[in-house]
Each structure stands twice: as structure tokens, then as C-alpha cells.
Amino acid sequence: MPSPPKSLCTLVAIGIAAIFPMHAANASTDNVIENAALSTAFDGPDTCQGFDPIKRYGNEILFQIRRNDAPVGRHSVTFNQGRDGLQVIAQSNIDISFLGFNAYSFTYRSESLWQGNEMAALSVAVDDDGERTIVGATRENGNLVVTGPDGIQTVPANIFPTDHWHCGVLGSTSVLNTITGKPNNVDITAKPSEMLRTTNGTLRATEFSYDGELKTNAWYDHEGRWVGLQFEARDGSTITYRCMNCATKTAQQAQP
């Protein structure tokens, strides 16, 4: 039996919640999406400022995870508004089978608290085929103190984790990797809009390409909603997040 793709964990986490020491700080929330190529992707230059995910998404975003175009799991992001702020829970579950046997499993759960457009606390638990890691972060003295597998990191309070749901991340030059607990330098550029496939049709979206310490491609619609993700795993397989509850322009059903 071929060995399961152990490196899939870190790369899937890129899409998860994830990606995502001390490097350049990310752009401020009040001045995000300065680049003209980014702002033209959305309804206006202020689309990603004061981002309210419940108004944009409802209470949940749901994706089918596909490996080499075969479904292997699901990823969800749920939003709950409370007295202390916005609670965001991102979860991924992946199971890869071979000849009827489970060859690889991966679970990820991230819970974060947001106050305004800044993350105030973070707790992440990962089980990568039996290997478990934990990352946590709290706001202290105007920064985030992050504890991860390699110790403690101090990062700017306005850094974005790559949960992807907040399009403010697209103005960043550094993002928080929620698997390692470390910031990663990134260069994010926009490509022309295109019709993106979902599980229940297609919609127009803009692809944003991450380069640098993180390489991935994320898609957003004109209202700044995250609607897709794709990247290459180290074993050469292609991982795709296909939206399951996005509003689409067509009703053509995607293949299972």
C-alpha cells in the first residue's frame, strides 16, 4: 500500500484556518486593500473594512475538500456573535481510504474570538493521523502572544490568521500560520475574475495568489466573500476547496 501523504496536514491547514520569526507586519484594517488590483475585484475599496461575516455569509461557510478532484472531506467556518465579540470556529475533517482501509486521517479545529476586525484570542487543535499539536494566542500589551509547537512568538495584534473568511487578509504582507504558531511572509496578487465552480453551480470570483513563505490560491466574490481555495500538496496532489453553500448564477450540479 502506498504511504499516505503525511505532508498533506500542513498544506490542508493552509486552507483551513490556517496559514497562516517576526517578519513584516500586515496592513492595518483601516487601510486594507490599498493595491488597485485588489480593490477592483470588489464592489468598492472599502468592501473589506468593517467586515461583518454574519451579514456576508450568514452563520456558516461550508466547503467540500477534494484531492485530485476526488472528495476526501469537509471544511466549515461558523460565526456566533456574543457579548465578548465574534466567535469563529473553523473545522476540517479528512479521510483518505485505499482498498477499503483508512490510509490517512486529519482533523482540525480552530476557535477564535474577534473584537472589531482584530483577533483577540485563538485556540487550535490538530490531529494529523494520530500526531497531535496545539496552538494558542492571547492579546497582551497591544500584541498577540502565540504559543505553538516551537515555543512562544509575539506578533502584531492586527495580523490575520488564514481562516480566509475575512478578505482583509488580502492586504497583508504577513499572516499567522495556525499550525506552527509562526507568522509567514506573503505577497498576495489578484488575477482577472472568472467563473468558479462550486458544488451546485458556478459564480464569478477573483483569484488571489499567495507567494513567498506560503503558496496557495484563494477566490473571493465581488462582496469579498471567500468562495474557493486550491493548492498543491508536497506529494504532488491538488487540494481544492469547493463551496457547498455559496449563491451561484447557474444551477448545474457538480459531479460528486
Side-chain angles (χ1 to χ4, degrees):
M1 179 188 340
S3 60
K6 290 294 292 182
S7 60
L8 191 60
C9 158
T10 301
L11 291 172
V12 165
I14 286 172
I16 290 180
I19 338 178
F20 342 57
M22 289 291 295
H23 294 304
N26 67 296
S28 74
T29 308
D30 293 333
N31 200 27
V32 73
I33 315 300
E34 293 179 330
N35 186 295
L38 299 185
S39 63
T40 55
F42 304 123
D43 287 338
D46 60 347
T47 295
C48 297
Q49 297 178 20
F51 193 89
D52 185 337
I54 295 178
K55 288 183 179 179
R56 304 288 177 95
Y57 298 110
N59 291 108
E60 183 181 50
I61 320 168
L62 185 60
F63 293 89
Q64 180 188 67
I65 302 175
R66 301 175 74 90
R67 179 174 182 261
N68 290 339
D69 210 30
V72 293
R74 289 193 178 190
H75 176 72
S76 66
V77 185
T78 57
F79 308 100
N80 300 288
Q81 185 64 54
R83 291 185 300 176
D84 295 331
L86 177 73
Q87 179 196 49
V88 182
I89 298 175
Q91 299 184 89
S92 286
N93 293 278
I94 295 174
D95 288 293
I96 298 175
S97 298
F98 182 77
L99 297 178
F101 295 94
N102 180 272
Y104 176 82
S105 63
F106 174 85
T107 61
Y108 171 98
R109 189 181 192 277
S110 167
E111 182 174 344
S112 56
L113 177 68
W114 290 73
Q115 296 171 340
N117 278 267
E118 290 188 359
M119 188 170 64
L122 173 70
S123 177
V124 180
V126 177
D127 186 334
D128 177 21
D129 212 30
E131 183 177 338
R132 299 181 181 181
T133 57
I134 294 175
V135 171
T138 56
R139 189 184 297 171
E140 297 181 18
N141 300 320
N143 292 305
L144 276 179
V145 178
V146 185
T147 303
D150 295 327
I152 298 174
Q153 300 279 326
T154 300
V155 300
N158 63 352
I159 195 169
F160 285 97
T162 45
D163 295 338
H164 293 294
W165 60 266
H166 196 314
C167 62
V169 69
L170 300 173
S172 300
T173 57
S174 181
V175 291
L176 180 63
N177 185 322
T178 60
I179 295 294
T180 66
K182 295 180 179 180
N184 291 159
N185 278 345
V186 292
D187 180 22
I188 304 174
T189 56
K191 296 184 178 181
S193 66
E194 60 183 300
M195 297 306 293
L196 179 71
R197 188 178 181 183
T198 73
T199 60
N200 62 350
T202 60
L203 55 79
R204 182 161 294 280
T206 299
E207 178 184 356
F208 291 85
S209 177
Y210 285 63
D211 202 0
E213 294 181 325
L214 165 69
K215 297 182 186 298
T216 191
N217 299 291
W219 282 261
Y220 293 79
D221 71 8
H222 68 101
E223 293 187 26
R225 292 175 293 210
W226 176 40
V227 293
L229 189 79
Q230 189 173 82
F231 53 92
E232 183 177 311
R234 289 175 189 152
D235 65 349
S237 61
T238 299
I239 306 301
T240 303
Y241 281 47
R242 189 172 290 174
C243 189
M244 300 180 70
N245 62 345
C246 292
T248 61
K249 295 295 184 182
T250 68
Q252 182 179 358
Q253 188 73 18
Q255 294 299 313

